[in-house]
Amino acid sequence: AGVLVLASDRLTLHSAATGTVLRQTTLAPVDGQKPESGRLVGDLVLVSYGADDSPTRNLVAYSTRTLKPVWQVPEAKVLSDPVLCLDLVCADEKNGASVLDPATGRTLWHTPGLDLIRYGGDVMEWDSGGSDPVRLADVRNGDQVLRLAGWHNDLALSDDSPLLLRRTDLSRASIFAVVTGDPVGLRPLGATRGPVSDCAADARFV
């Protein structure tokens, strides 16, 4: 096991047990810009060169094993809050983000400013800044797998639990369902007889 440390001029892999430097690479400026931030996705270290408001920005992927660059793509100047992209390889665009192929950096699809979180073998798109899911998309091309508009994710469970959702019908009763996989769908759990002002859930009960 190792610890990766990103500095403004180098990327270093340390031994997690002893702190010894196992590998190091110098990070030269790209288009005149130094590394601004980095994140780890799978076996890649994604390093953004240039501040969010810089007109010249690049995203460079480095191998966690060799610390050598794998690919490089341009990134747009971020005009508002950047898209949240968890467990996915994304590059900033002017009005959203592009989801990239981890192996090549090739653009697979685009999202118009929605937050993205890997959910099993698919991608969950969320309303930016909120807790409402919009849809479940195919990670390979962005095609819709399951429409989730109108549902709310306000019932927190453990990370390894199914996604538990709630929506309100015309009588203001709460309807509950979980997102299932293989096949992907919504499995109804039940509904209340009237309005619910507060609600909680655990692994067995809502």
Side-chain angles (χ1 to χ4, degrees):
V3 177
L4 283 162
V5 178
L6 174 66
S8 61
D9 61 351
R10 62 189 178 276
L11 182 62
T12 308
L13 177 64
H14 296 265
S15 167
T18 66
T20 303
V21 175
L22 303 177
R23 202 166 291 113
Q24 188 174 82
T25 188
T26 300
L27 301 180
V30 177
D31 289 340
Q33 302 287 346
K34 292 184 177 181
E36 182 71 19
S37 63
R39 59 191 181 95
L40 189 65
V41 179
D43 58 358
L44 295 176
V45 183
L46 304 176
V47 179
S48 289
Y49 285 77
D52 287 350
D53 59 354
S54 171
T56 306
R57 302 179 66 227
N58 286 276
L59 180 68
V60 182
Y62 295 88
S63 166
T64 56
R65 184 176 59 85
T66 65
L67 301 190
K68 292 182 178 179
V70 180
W71 46 258
Q72 174 182 328
V73 297
E75 283 196 294
K77 176 180 178 180
V78 178
L79 302 177
S80 59
D81 292 336
V83 169
L84 176 67
C85 195
L86 296 182
D87 297 326
L88 291 164
V89 178
C90 300
D92 291 327
E93 293 185 338
K94 184 177 180 180
N95 296 308
S98 55
V99 179
L100 310 180
D101 179 353
T104 65
R106 178 177 63 88
T107 297
L108 299 177
W109 49 285
H110 307 270
T111 179
L114 297 174
D115 289 338
L116 305 176
I117 300 176
R118 191 68 181 260
Y119 186 79
D122 298 304
V123 178
M124 190 76 72
E125 290 188 337
W126 297 81
D127 182 18
S128 298
S131 62
D132 295 340
V134 176
R135 65 176 189 143
L136 200 61
D138 190 322
V139 69
R140 299 168 298 180
N141 50 32
D143 289 350
Q144 180 169 289
V145 176
L146 183 65
R147 185 177 183 272
L148 296 172
W151 290 90
H152 306 285
N153 177 229
D154 52 4
L155 300 169
L157 295 175
S158 62
D159 292 340
D160 58 351
S161 299
L163 186 65
L164 177 59
L165 303 177
R166 176 171 68 161
R167 71 183 304 165
T168 304
D169 65 11
L170 295 177
S171 68
R172 299 184 61 203
S174 289
I175 303 169
F176 301 93
V178 292
V179 178
T180 61
D182 197 26
V184 175
L186 279 173
R187 178 164 61 88
L189 295 180
T192 63
R193 295 181 179 179
V196 175
S197 59
D198 194 14
C199 193
D202 59 22
R204 297 180 60 192
F205 300 104
V206 175

